[in-house]
């Protein structure tokens, strides 16, 4: 207003003087670098958590696919056994017509077929549920068609599952441990930054002063921020130490949990592989021989129909056990790869 001589205005050429102030904070030596390193470590921790999320999603997809495959193979097996029971029913009918067997044999064969048809209904429902779940994991509409599972994933060689080698890989590549290590380093840098707050920060400023159309004066400013509140500063230092200790404890707890899960899944994988081998090389051939002998004995009247049904059930249980062991191995492999954060 020029001492009240004119109306208020902000135009620099019409006022008495215009003061411009440019300021820049200048932290103590090392503080800026520590803040940058803390931000970079936080970003690395976020990357580790993102990788962990992707590994978890991949494991869930592999698990859903393995379960879908398990149900599909069970359906195939049930249909094969149903066809077998149909043939056994015809044999029982021929023997019954010839007066060599009781009508109860035919009825029992029909009851077995009805039970298998009920199982097929349940398996079909379970297959649809797993298809919907897998589509959801793949971000697809739940009713989207899926190809029929053709074959199992190839299992890694025993040499690739050496416990000590896998433990080392877990310690260096597990996404959770990677994120926790980044959090520890961030906490260490934050502690260093907190201790540097014992030293003052500066603010530098320059202020040109314009009188109407020209700048005729300059002002320089130095501001010093003294950390006089010692109680608050010491509390912040204790907090930074506690945060570091908490991060280290979380890392140790996560490492123990992850390594425990690794050992558990390695043991389960080995048991599933051995069970599958035992079923394929011993149990299944023995069951097939037993069934053939029982079928020949029934056709000649040496064994009853109940013995033949028991032999048929043994074949089915042996084949189901093999399928289950193969599916268990696939599930354990998916968990091991989730823990590693990469495929084997």
């Amino acid at each position: 207003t020029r001492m009240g001589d004119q109306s208020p205005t902000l135009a620099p050429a019409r006022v008495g003087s215009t003061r411009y102030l440019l300021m820049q904070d200048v932290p103590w030596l090392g503080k800026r670098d520590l803040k940058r390193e803390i931000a970079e470590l936080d970003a690395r921790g976020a990357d580790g958590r993102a990788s962990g999320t992707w590994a978890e999603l991949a494991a869930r997809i592999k698990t859903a696919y393995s379960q879908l495959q398990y149900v599909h193979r069970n359906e195939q097996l049930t249909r094969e056994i149903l066809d077998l029971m149909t043939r056994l029913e015809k044999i029982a009918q021929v023997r019954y017509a010839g007066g060599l067997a009781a009508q109860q044999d035919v009825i029992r064969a029909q009851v077995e077929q009805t039970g298998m048809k009920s199982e097929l209904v349940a398996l079909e429902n379970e297959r649809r549920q797993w298809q919907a779940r897998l589509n959801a994991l793949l971000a697809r509409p739940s009713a989207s068609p899926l190809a029929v599972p053709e074959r199992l994933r190839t299992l890694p060689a025993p040499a690739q599952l050496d416990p000590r080698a896998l433990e080392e890989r877990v310690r260096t590549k597990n996404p959770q441990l990677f994120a926790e290590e980044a959090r520890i380093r961030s906490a260490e840098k934050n502690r260093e930054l907190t201790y540097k707050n014992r030293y003052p920060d500066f603010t530098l400023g320059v202020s040109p002063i314009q009188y109407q159309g020209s700048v005729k004066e300059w002002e320089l400013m130095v501001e010093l921020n003294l950390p006089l509140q010692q109680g608050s500063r010491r509390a912040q230092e204790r907090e930074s130490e506690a945060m570091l200790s908490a991060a280290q404890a979380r890392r140790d707890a996560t490492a123990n949990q992850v390594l425990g899960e690794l050992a558990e899944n390695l043991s389960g994988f080995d048991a599933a592989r051995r069970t599958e081998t035992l079923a394929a090389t011993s149990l299944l051939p023995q069951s097939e021989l037993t069934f053939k002998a029982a079928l020949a004995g029934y056709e000649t009247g040496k064994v009853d129909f109940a013995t033949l049904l028991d032999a048929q059930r043994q074949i089915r249980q042996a084949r189901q056990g093999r399928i289950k062991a193969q599916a268990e191995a696939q599930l354990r492999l998916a968990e091991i790869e989730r823990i590693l954060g990469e495929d084997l």
Side-chain angles (χ1 to χ4, degrees):
T1 62
R2 285 191 177 182
M3 305 299 292
D5 294 337
Q6 65 182 25
S7 300
T9 180
L10 295 179
R14 297 179 57 192
V15 300
S17 63
T18 303
R19 182 171 179 264
Y20 306 95
L21 178 60
L22 306 176
M23 300 177 63
Q24 173 63 51
D25 292 333
V26 181
W28 191 262
L29 295 177
K31 285 186 178 182
R32 193 187 304 275
D33 292 337
L34 286 172
K35 290 180 180 179
R36 185 186 66 252
E37 292 173 1
I38 290 172
E40 291 174 351
L41 290 170
D42 289 343
R44 291 182 61 187
D47 290 340
R49 290 189 292 274
S51 299
T53 301
W54 281 112
E56 180 71 25
L57 178 60
R60 293 175 63 185
I61 292 174
K62 294 173 186 176
T63 298
Y65 180 78
S66 298
Q67 292 291 351
L68 179 61
Q69 194 171 49
Y70 171 70
V71 173
H72 174 70
R73 297 179 69 196
N74 261 337
E75 278 189 287
Q76 289 181 322
L77 174 60
T78 304
R79 295 184 189 281
E80 292 175 6
I81 300 298
L82 181 59
D83 293 339
L84 176 61
M85 286 305 306
T86 302
R87 294 197 298 270
L88 293 181
E89 179 192 359
K90 293 179 180 179
I91 295 174
Q93 287 175 344
V94 171
R95 290 183 56 79
Y96 171 66
L100 301 176
Q103 185 181 12
Q104 183 182 3
D105 293 352
V106 179
I107 296 175
R108 293 189 64 178
Q110 294 173 348
V111 170
E112 288 286 330
Q113 293 178 61
T114 303
M116 290 179 187
K117 291 177 181 177
S118 298
E119 290 184 20
L120 283 174
V121 173
L123 288 170
E124 182 181 358
N125 175 55
E126 187 176 357
R127 172 170 53 81
R128 289 177 178 175
Q129 291 179 0
W130 281 111
Q131 286 177 337
R133 188 173 302 180
L134 185 56
N135 277 324
L137 291 172
L138 295 173
R140 304 172 69 216
S142 60
S144 297
L146 289 170
V148 176
E150 296 181 356
R151 60 184 178 85
L152 296 170
R153 279 205 306 160
T154 303
L155 298 179
Q160 294 180 265
L161 297 175
D162 179 66
R164 293 185 178 179
L166 288 181
E167 284 186 8
E168 291 300 321
R169 289 177 63 179
V170 166
R171 293 184 184 276
T172 56
K173 297 185 177 181
N174 178 265
Q176 290 178 281
L177 291 180
F178 180 85
E180 294 299 334
E181 288 291 346
R183 183 176 294 180
I184 288 177
R185 294 188 59 189
S186 176
E188 290 174 345
K189 296 297 182 181
N190 185 68
R191 180 185 60 179
E192 294 181 27
L193 179 61
T194 303
Y195 277 101
K196 281 188 175 292
N197 286 336
R198 296 177 177 181
Y199 305 103
D201 293 331
F202 299 90
T203 300
L204 302 180
V206 59
S207 177
I209 302 176
Q210 176 181 346
Y211 290 93
Q212 302 205 356
S214 61
V215 175
K216 297 182 177 181
E217 291 185 10
W218 291 81
E219 294 181 354
L220 297 178
M221 182 189 72
V222 178
E223 181 179 304
L224 185 63
N225 183 12
L226 297 176
L228 298 179
Q229 296 180 347
Q230 299 300 315
S232 174
R233 181 181 58 77
R234 292 192 181 98
Q236 292 175 355
E237 292 174 357
R238 291 193 298 270
E239 179 189 16
S240 66
E241 294 285 356
M243 294 294 289
L244 176 59
S245 298
Q248 292 171 339
R250 279 194 301 268
R251 190 270 315 274
D252 294 340
T254 301
N256 292 334
Q257 178 184 351
V258 168
L259 293 177
E261 291 177 356
L262 176 65
E264 177 183 346
N265 284 286
L266 284 175
S267 177
F269 180 85
D270 181 65
R273 173 177 272 175
R274 292 165 58 189
T275 300
E276 193 272 333
T277 302
L278 184 63
T281 59
S282 181
L283 186 58
L284 188 56
Q286 292 170 355
S287 300
E288 290 175 348
L289 290 175
T290 301
F291 175 75
K292 291 179 181 178
L295 180 60
Y298 179 72
E299 291 175 340
T300 58
K302 294 182 180 179
V303 299
D304 57 9
F305 194 72
T307 303
L308 181 60
L309 286 181
D310 288 340
Q312 172 265 324
R313 292 192 186 104
Q314 288 179 5
I315 287 184
R316 187 182 184 189
Q317 290 174 358
R319 294 182 65 180
Q320 283 181 332
R322 184 183 182 186
I323 293 174
K324 183 178 180 180
Q326 290 174 338
E328 179 68 17
Q330 294 292 329
L331 295 178
R332 295 293 185 176
L333 177 60
E335 285 298 308
I336 291 172
E337 291 176 338
R338 177 188 65 80
I339 294 170
L340 288 176
E342 61 183 6
D343 291 344
L344 286 171

